[in-house]
Amino acid sequence: TATATGLGWLSRVSVAAVSLEHARILQSNNAPLTMVSQKLEDGRAIDPSNPLLTMALAQQQIAIVRDQVNSRTITNTKAADEIRTALALADLSISQDPKNPARYASVIDLYETLAQFVADADVGAATLYQKLIVLEPNNPRHEFGLGQTLLVKATRQAAEAEAISSLYSSPGSR
């Protein structure tokens, strides 16, 4: 893999675009997930500030975790850690292109995946929905998504309270 040193801006962008397209072709041909991920990492090595490559790599890492979860080759704790690593990349993608609503929507998807393994992941999703509402105030999907996220959080909290209550209630009172 070439490095960014010695390559001009246009060359880095071109090589990164080729890496991204190659990764998409590999995906469409059902190549192993790790092969696609490696192609994206190669592109990021050349152009680490490319938000498309950064987000694509984060999404690819999530795909690998989903595959491992489905095949039961990863623990829930390890899956949550891997998803947090992917979220760090996704957050970087937002910082590289902060006015692009698509970046926020992609990260929300990652938070929703994390919510399968970690109870408080909905807080991150709610925060991003609030940022999306500022970026696109006329898009009702963001308000709806925020409402759903807050509802899931409230439902989870109510379920936790009920579970705790049942633990402390006397056996004959229920």
Side-chain angles (χ1 to χ4, degrees), residues 61-62 64-70 72-87 113-114 116-118:
Q61 288 177 344
I62 295 298
I64 291 170
V65 171
R66 282 187 183 131
D67 187 54
Q68 291 171 333
V69 167
N70 290 338
R72 301 187 190 282
T73 59
I74 191 171
T75 66
N76 283 353
T77 302
K78 179 71 173 159
D81 289 345
E82 294 290 327
I83 293 168
R84 283 189 187 100
T85 300
L87 275 168
T113 300
L114 180 61
Q116 296 172 18
F117 306 101
V118 179

Side-chain angles (χ1 to χ4, degrees), residues 92-170:
L92 176 61
S93 174
I94 286 176
S95 71
Q96 292 167 335
D97 192 6
K99 294 188 179 191
N100 186 338
R103 300 279 166 269
Y104 292 87
S106 295
V107 177
I108 288 168
D109 290 342
L110 299 180
Y111 272 109
E112 289 172 353
T113 300
L114 180 61
Q116 296 172 18
F117 306 101
V118 179
D120 62 351
D122 45 22
V123 174
T127 301
L128 291 175
Y129 273 121
Q130 290 165 341
K131 289 180 181 179
L132 271 173
I133 290 167
V134 170
L135 283 174
E136 294 183 323
N138 296 324
N139 189 333
R141 290 182 184 162
H142 306 325
E143 293 279 351
F144 182 76
L146 178 59
Q148 277 187 310
T149 300
L150 295 175
L151 180 63
V152 166
K153 179 181 177 184
T155 302
R156 179 180 44 80
Q157 288 172 337
E160 288 171 355
E162 178 64 26
I164 289 170
S165 173
S166 69
L167 287 174
Y168 293 108
S169 65
S170 62

Side-chain angles (χ1 to χ4, degrees), residues 14-29:
S14 297
V15 172
V18 168
S19 294
L20 187 58
E21 186 57 29
H22 190 194
R24 288 180 179 152
I25 290 168
L26 288 170
Q27 282 177 320
S28 68
N29 290 324

